[in-house]
Amino acid sequence: MKNIVRVRFLVSLLLWICAAGVYSDENHLIACGSFYRTLSDLKVQQPPRRVLLVPLLSRDPHTTESPRWSEQPARTLEAFYRNRFNADVTQLRDVWSWTDYYRQVDQLVRQSPPFDRVMFISHGGFDGPVLKNAVFWQNFQVTGSKGELLQYSEAQPGLKNVLSITYDVEKNRVFSGYMASHWPELTPMKSDDIRHLLKGLEKQIQPLDHACFQNYCSQESLATSPEQQRGYRLDLCELICREPLFEQKTSVEISTERFFHFTKSLSSLVTADGLIFFGACNPGSAAPVKTLEKDETELLINSTLAGGPHKSYVHLVGAVTGRVTAGPIGQSSADDIVNRIIMFETGRPQHNLCVVVPETK
């Protein structure tokens, strides 16, 4: 079981922090049109007149980078588009969550015409751009003797993270009172931190079953264990010999509603002959082969979403929006993103850039 958990963690980590481009085989490069399409072949507006830059603010949790790292390449690209094409450049500011993104997009759509280019600069994975996982809907209710907190959150549009906490309101009045008055404070917390907090409270207010504890963790029982394992055994006994006050579950679901909400925003932002560019890791990478396990969801690009499975995330977005869509194959640094965009706009061919022209309907 520990090996399975470790493997799942490593897979998630690779997807999040830019897995290497091991999926960029020759057939996929051909399907992406990486080195034989020119700007004239793509029939995108040239030169670009209106450009929207979308630097998403997030930090790789395994580095000390600033969460505002994406703003520097955005400034470089802003100067490039203005100096090279005399384009009108707009930039979204302080996008920490998808709620921030939608709020600014709604205002833009009402106040200005669509753009020839919409360029995202962010961390990413096989399922598109990544922001910090943030709650976008939650509900707390007590029905009869059952209390429940339900939260929906997302880091990538279309992948809905579900958190549920259920408990018997009659079992421990102190715990029930805490949940009733403090549940809004759990909103910004990670699921592991929520469990740690509630387990700490449970330890304070829920008595041990002393018969159970004496049976497994008496001084005589502990004496039979190696000294370095006694602390772990005590913690395990407290977990087993204290009746739990709550049950916490987490899962990930594909949300067609949230995904199409995102692609609708893209369609409203980009002209029919415009370009959507995802400057991140792996939006153009081929979908990895994924072995499904119980309670595990498929990646967006491997699902049946929008007539899938799709070759890559840019294929998926291009099919839904009807816009030319592009993004790197494999890993990309901030400098890589800038260079790929400049090479694209100046008509220079390049490998490891997936450019998808949607089929004419």
Side-chain angles (χ1 to χ4, degrees):
M1 182 65 184
K2 288 183 179 179
N3 288 336
I4 293 174
V5 171
R6 192 175 293 114
V7 168
R8 286 182 179 175
F9 171 77
L10 288 173
V11 170
S12 299
L13 182 61
L14 285 172
L15 294 182
W16 212 94
I17 65 170
C18 305
V22 295
Y23 303 103
S24 55
D25 57 50
E26 202 71 12
N27 288 335
H28 185 64
L29 290 175
I30 293 172
C32 284
S34 301
F35 38 72
Y36 65 87
R37 280 178 177 154
T38 65
L39 283 172
S40 58
D41 293 332
L42 298 176
K43 297 180 180 178
V44 294
Q45 168 61 39
Q46 190 68 15
R49 298 161 301 189
R50 288 176 46 75
V51 176
L52 176 65
L53 301 174
V54 187
L56 303 181
L57 306 183
S58 67
R59 182 179 68 84
D60 181 339
H62 304 90
T63 71
T64 58
E65 71 180 5
S66 166
R68 292 187 176 274
W69 68 268
S70 57
E71 293 179 332
Q72 178 55 52
R75 286 191 288 269
T76 302
L77 289 171
E78 179 176 2
F80 166 74
Y81 278 109
R82 284 183 172 163
N83 295 334
R84 177 88 183 202
F85 303 110
N86 196 30
D88 179 11
V89 182
T90 301
Q91 181 175 322
L92 298 191
R93 307 284 180 179
D94 294 323
V95 181
W96 296 96
S97 69
W98 291 109
T99 300
D100 295 335
Y101 166 80
Y102 291 123
R103 181 172 57 250
Q104 295 188 48
V105 167
D106 288 344
Q107 184 175 2
L108 263 182
V109 170
R110 289 194 303 268
Q111 297 179 353
S112 67
F115 297 85
D116 305 317
R117 305 285 191 270
V118 172
M119 327 294 279
F120 287 83
I121 307 167
S122 69
H123 285 297
F126 294 101
D127 282 333
V130 172
L131 279 169
K132 180 181 178 180
N133 188 49
V135 173
F136 63 85
W137 181 90
Q138 62 182 341
N139 183 55
F140 173 79
Q141 65 178 12
V142 175
T143 306
S145 62
K146 178 184 177 182
E148 180 179 37
L149 172 63
L150 186 63
Q151 290 182 347
Y152 296 158
S153 61
E154 67 180 350
Q156 293 173 285
L159 290 180
K160 180 173 69 177
N161 301 297
V162 181
L163 167 72
S164 68
I165 298 172
T166 55
Y167 61 97
D168 184 342
V169 297
E170 304 294 338
K171 184 176 284 189
N172 188 300
R173 294 291 185 178
V174 176
F175 184 84
S176 299
Y178 180 88
M179 288 298 297
S181 59
H182 290 79
W183 68 267
E185 299 170 15
L186 305 180
T187 302
M189 297 176 64
K190 298 178 181 179
S191 60
D192 287 346
D193 294 337
I194 292 174
R195 182 183 294 277
H196 181 74
L197 173 69
L198 296 183
K199 279 296 180 183
L201 175 62
E202 181 182 85
K203 186 175 181 178
Q204 295 175 34
I205 64 177
Q206 180 73 341
L208 280 170
D209 181 333
H210 289 287
C212 170
F213 193 81
Q214 282 299 114
N215 188 33
Y216 294 104
C217 283
S218 64
Q219 291 297 326
E220 294 79 9
S221 298
L222 287 176
T224 64
S225 299
E227 185 175 352
Q228 64 270 24
Q229 294 182 10
R230 291 175 188 174
Y232 171 76
R233 184 165 178 173
L234 275 172
D235 291 340
L236 187 61
C237 285
E238 288 212 1
L239 180 65
I240 295 173
C241 296
R242 179 177 282 109
E243 186 177 1
L245 295 178
F246 68 97
E247 182 179 26
Q248 180 173 325
K249 294 181 179 179
T250 57
S251 62
V252 181
E253 302 173 1
I254 290 178
S255 171
T256 56
E257 178 185 0
R258 296 295 294 183
F259 179 74
F260 288 127
H261 182 44
F262 178 59
T263 56
K264 183 180 179 181
S265 76
L266 296 177
S267 297
S268 65
L269 286 171
V270 187
T271 58
D273 59 352
L275 170 76
I276 302 168
F277 190 100
F278 292 104
C281 296
N282 290 312
S285 298
V289 176
K290 192 167 191 285
T291 302
L292 294 181
E293 298 178 9
K294 186 177 180 181
D295 298 328
E296 200 169 12
T297 184
E298 292 181 14
L299 297 169
L300 288 175
I301 52 179
N302 272 337
S303 74
T304 58
L305 185 67
H310 294 269
K311 292 184 179 70
S312 71
Y313 186 74
V314 295
H315 284 85
L316 169 59
V317 173
V320 176
T321 61
R323 306 303 197 270
V324 175
T325 308
I329 299 170
Q331 59 186 0
S332 289
S333 67
D335 288 341
D336 291 335
I337 292 167
V338 171
N339 291 334
R340 290 189 189 283
I341 291 173
I342 291 176
M343 289 177 69
F344 175 85
E345 295 288 13
T346 54
R348 287 179 283 171
Q350 55 184 306
H351 287 264
N352 296 329
L353 178 68
C354 192
V355 184
V356 174
V357 179
E359 296 180 3
T360 304
K361 298 180 179 180

